[in-house]
Structure formats: structure tokens, C-alpha cells
Amino acid sequence: MKRSHLSRRTLLRGTGAAVALPLLDAMIPAMTASAATAAAPSRLKRIGYIYIPMGYNPAEWTPEGEALEELPSSLSPLEDVKDHLTVISNTDLQNAYPGSHATSNSAFLSAARAKRTESSDYYNGTTVDQVAARKIGATTQLPSLELSMDLLSTVGQCDNGYACVYQNSLSWASPTQPLPSEAHPRIVFESLFGEGGTPEQRRAAMQKRASLLDSINLEIKRIKNRVGASDRNKIDGYLESIREVERRIQLAEQNSEENPLPDLDRPVGVPTAYADHAKLMFDLQLLAFQGDITRVVSFQLAREASTRTYPEIGVPDPHHPVTHHGRDPEKLAKVAKINQFHVSLFADFLKRMDEVPEGDGTLLDHSLYMYGSGMGDPDAHDHSNLPILVAGGAAENMRGNRHLRFKDPEPLSNLHLTLLNKVGVPLESFADSTGTVDDLFDPVTL
């Protein structure tokens, strides 16, 4: 026997809107094995990658022991979620040498050696997120989501003979197909919840409604009449989150019209404060995962060689020059502050994910995130002893609250291969991998 249930692909449609729903009890048929339902663990696997540029200050990042008893200053914002966190030390990217900003970015997800060229005959490697997207993103509305914080419009040669595309694109669908990333929250919002069509059609639809959700009120009432009280509460919470994100986007757009301030790095119409912009981009990822709109995300939290300043945390100096610290204690302290600021945004996001119930756990339990940089010591432009974090994955038995330090340098591609296997993309090798990181997860018990 099966009760009448909703499809996991149910959409609420209105004028220019197509809103996916979170996982509801009504999407899980009664008297059916869990493995055959929308709540099956295999259908709740997601993976995300967060990139930070220009390495780190290891003295303020690296935990002393194997357990995360006392987090160093740069990681201190993660205290509340450290049970979901593994800090990984002594990984490297051999194919990123000779050291550069361009290859730090291009090799982070590809572990491949980029072709040195200033022209359009660039060549890198298919990135790990796109390998995942072909498998676990095949049935979602968007196979993957590529996000950034900065306008990446520079072209030509950007770094020691490498074309700008290597710094602009974190994700590559193939060795010759870099994927553009989107930094504008409105455009991302419309791609997640808009009905599609040309940019002109989307603009016309936006002008007809004050809010995307206003156009689906009748659909909301209809669907809520078909589900129980628990599901109605889930729908209300999810739609309220969408409405809040939309409200923040509208406010930023309004502020931009009233107080136009030129910013070479920031798209027009986004929040003025870096943190507010980043939080919007993180919240859009959360909504995309919650609605199963995509299961694969990459996010460039800042651009390599960025000269962005962070006066809000007491670092008015441009980021890139500070990282050429020459062992200057003052500059190293500023690098650590920037690291801590970026980590705090990631920590807030993890907390939010852990507050969203889903299936037999939370959204965080059913997701894996890798956070880090393709550069270790920025003063040396090296690609060894990289700053790497892995978070989430309780549903896949990830061992949290620990520091995993390799005795000998471990290829970052080994970690990529391990995470791919855990989210249902079985491969024997990836790029220059030599094996898997078995200690990252507890053995599965039957």
C-alpha cells in the first residue's frame, strides 16, 4: 500500500516563477523502503567547494593536536560546528607549479597542469565539481552552480604568462571549456526560482510582480491543502527564507540606485558590505540545496591577486600586497585576520545548514563541503601544505572534531577522489591521485 504522495520534482508555478519545494513527508510514500524514496541517502548527497585566494598564515590556522580542543584564531569562528569539521594539513598541488596565482586557482579543483598561454588556446583539466555534476546533477534543475564575489571581466594575460581565464574560472566542464561564475545575487535568484526565458522575458516578468512569491499564492494554498501540518510548517519556513533573500536583494538594488558608488570589483546592485554580499551568496546555496535545485556548488569567495580591502575587520590594506609579508609580524597578523573573516562567513553558513532538518538528519549531514586555497605560503607562491577544511557528511560517517595531518605531502587529488566516492561518483583515480584518504571517514557498519 502507498499513500498518495507528491513528486520530489513538484514545482509551484506563477508568472515568471517556478519554485521547487524542500523534502516533505508527503514526498515519501508510506509502506515503502526508504531506499526507494526521495529521502534515500543516495538522493540526498550534495557537494560544495569554497575557494579562498592567496593562502594563509599557518601559525594562526593549524591546530596543535589531533582533536580540535582549542581552535587557532583563524579557525575560531568554527567552534560551534567543529563536530562537523575536519582540518586537513600537508596536502599539495604539484601540478600548480611553477607557483602563480593563476595556477593556484586553476588547479584547486582540477589538480591539472594549466597550459601556459596568454591567448585563447588555454587548456586545463575537467574540475572535480563538474565530474560530480555529470553524475549527481543529472536529474536536478541545475546540474551545478558556479558562484563568485567579484566581477571577473579581465581578459588577456593576468599572471606570469597565464591567460586571465585561469584566475577567472574555478570550474571547467572540460579542459577547454571554463565555466563563468555569477556574482550577482539577483541573477542567481532568478536562475533558481525564475521560470526561465530570455533576459528580456525575465525582466518583464519581474516588472509584473512585486515579489516572486506573490505570483504563486494560489499554488501555495493548493499544495498546503494536500499536506499535513508538519509539511505546512516546512513550506512556510522555506518560502519565508526565499522571501527574506529576495527582500535583501531588492534592498541592495534600491540602495545602489539611490547611492551609486563605483566599485571595480563589485557588481552594480549588490550589497555594499562584503559580508552582506557573501551571506546572500551562501543563503542562495542553502536554498538551492534545500529545494534540490542543484547538488553541486563551487564558490570563489575572493579572487586571486585581489586588492580588496577589509576595513571592517581592521585591515584597510589591499589583500594581495599584505600576503607578500616577508615574515613581517604585522602583515602576517593581517593575513590571519582576513583568513578568520572568510572562515566566519563559512561558519555562519554551516550553522544555518545544520538548522535545516532533512530526512534522518540535517541539510549539513547530507552535504559535504571542501573549503580551502590552492596556495600555501603566499609570500613564496608555493602550493604545499595547503589550508583545507572538510565539513558536513555525518550521514556518510565523516569523523568530525579532528585534525588530520599527513606525515608526507598528500596530493589534494586524493581528497577530491575520496569525496567523489562518498557522494556517489565512484572513480578509481582523479588527475594525479595516488589513492584515497581513508581516515577521513569511519568504516560503514551494516
Side-chain angles (χ1 to χ4, degrees):
M1 295 177 58
K2 296 183 180 180
R3 65 167 179 254
S4 175
H5 69 283
L6 297 175
S7 166
R8 184 67 178 96
R9 294 281 162 254
T10 300
L11 293 175
L12 306 182
R13 294 189 180 276
T15 304
V19 178
L21 289 170
L23 180 64
L24 304 174
D25 293 339
M27 294 173 179
I28 305 171
M31 306 297 289
T32 305
S34 63
T37 73
S42 62
R43 301 184 187 184
L44 297 177
K45 293 179 178 179
R46 310 175 182 88
I47 192 160
Y49 302 91
I50 310 295
Y51 186 79
I52 57 170
M54 295 173 283
Y56 70 134
N57 176 355
E60 300 298 331
W61 176 287
T62 310
E64 291 186 0
E66 294 184 2
L68 303 180
E69 295 179 359
E70 184 174 349
L71 290 172
S73 67
S74 290
L75 301 185
S76 59
L78 291 159
E79 178 66 32
D80 291 343
V81 290
K82 67 182 183 182
D83 287 342
H84 302 279
L85 177 74
T86 297
V87 181
I88 300 179
S89 296
N90 204 17
T91 58
D92 66 8
L93 277 171
Q94 287 299 315
N95 281 335
Y97 288 99
S100 74
H101 293 289
T103 56
S104 295
N105 196 76
S106 66
F108 184 65
L109 296 184
S110 71
R113 190 175 301 278
K115 178 181 179 180
R116 190 165 188 169
T117 177
E118 300 176 14
S119 188
S120 59
D121 60 335
Y122 43 74
Y123 195 93
N124 185 24
T126 303
T127 49
V128 68
D129 63 311
Q130 293 307 299
V131 174
R134 291 172 187 170
K135 177 73 173 179
I136 64 174
T139 61
T140 53
Q141 178 180 320
L142 299 176
S144 61
L145 195 58
E146 292 76 46
L147 305 176
S148 60
M149 286 288 293
D150 301 311
L151 284 173
L152 305 174
S153 57
T154 48
V155 296
Q157 186 271 133
C158 275
D159 183 29
N160 294 323
Y162 287 96
C164 295
V165 68
Y166 293 121
Q167 283 177 231
N168 291 348
S169 298
L170 190 62
S171 297
W172 292 63
S174 76
T176 58
Q177 187 182 354
L179 295 177
S181 57
E182 183 52 64
H184 202 304
R186 165 63 69 185
I187 296 174
V188 179
F189 185 83
E190 293 292 328
S191 72
L192 298 180
F193 303 111
E195 195 170 23
T198 66
E200 292 75 18
Q201 290 171 329
R202 288 193 178 196
R203 277 193 293 271
M206 286 168 55
Q207 291 170 357
K208 290 181 181 178
R209 53 174 165 80
S211 166
L212 177 144
L213 296 183
D214 290 343
S215 69
I216 60 171
N217 280 333
L218 291 177
E219 284 286 281
I220 294 172
K221 291 178 181 177
R222 180 183 63 81
I223 208 75
K224 288 173 72 173
N225 285 335
R226 294 183 57 188
V227 301
S230 176
D231 280 347
R232 289 196 292 271
N233 289 334
K234 287 181 185 177
I235 292 171
D236 286 341
Y238 177 63
L239 296 179
E240 183 56 39
S241 295
I242 294 175
R243 192 181 297 277
E244 172 60 18
V245 166
E246 186 180 33
R247 186 194 66 79
R248 286 154 57 197
I249 292 172
Q250 290 169 340
L251 181 61
E253 291 169 338
Q254 180 182 341
N255 289 341
S256 177
E257 292 176 0
E258 295 175 354
N259 302 289
L261 293 174
D263 188 327
L264 295 178
D265 293 326
R266 182 168 53 87
V268 175
V270 307
T272 303
Y274 173 86
D276 291 342
H277 183 188
K279 288 175 182 177
L280 261 180
M281 302 305 282
F282 273 122
D283 283 347
L284 286 164
Q285 294 175 58
L286 188 151
L287 291 173
F289 277 172
Q290 193 176 359
D292 202 31
I293 300 168
T294 192
R295 297 173 186 169
V296 182
V297 173
S298 63
F299 184 24
Q300 197 174 22
L301 198 50
R303 188 176 188 270
E304 280 292 339
S306 168
T307 55
R308 182 187 296 277
T309 62
Y310 297 95
E312 62 269 49
I313 60 168
V315 184
D317 319 62
H319 188 180
H320 183 202
V322 164
T323 64
H324 288 282
H325 48 73
R327 314 313 302 171
D328 180 342
E330 184 178 348
K331 287 187 175 181
L332 280 166
K334 290 176 179 177
V335 171
K337 276 190 175 182
I338 295 172
N339 291 154
Q340 182 189 60
F341 184 40
H342 288 158
V343 164
S344 72
L345 299 169
F346 182 50
D348 288 344
F349 172 59
L350 295 179
K351 292 174 190 175
R352 291 282 311 281
M353 291 187 74
D354 199 36
E355 292 169 355
V356 178
E358 184 185 64
D360 59 355
T362 69
L363 199 62
L364 183 59
D365 289 334
H366 298 120
S367 305
L368 281 170
Y369 259 87
M370 191 184 98
Y371 175 107
S373 180
M375 188 175 286
D377 179 0
D379 195 49
H381 276 201
D382 73 17
H383 308 289
S384 61
N385 195 23
L386 304 173
I388 300 294
L389 310 174
V390 177
E396 289 300 321
N397 297 307
M398 195 186 88
R399 299 170 59 189
N401 193 17
R402 63 196 296 256
H403 176 208
L404 179 59
R405 190 200 307 264
F406 295 109
K407 180 179 179 181
D408 299 311
E410 183 91 355
L412 187 63
S413 52
N414 286 2
L415 178 59
H416 286 321
L417 180 63
T418 303
L419 299 184
L420 280 177
N421 287 338
K422 278 296 176 181
V423 296
V425 187
L427 292 180
E428 293 184 1
S429 64
F430 175 76
D432 62 349
S433 64
T434 59
T436 55
V437 184
D438 297 329
D439 288 344
L440 187 58
F441 297 90
D442 283 328
V444 177
T445 56
L446 301 178

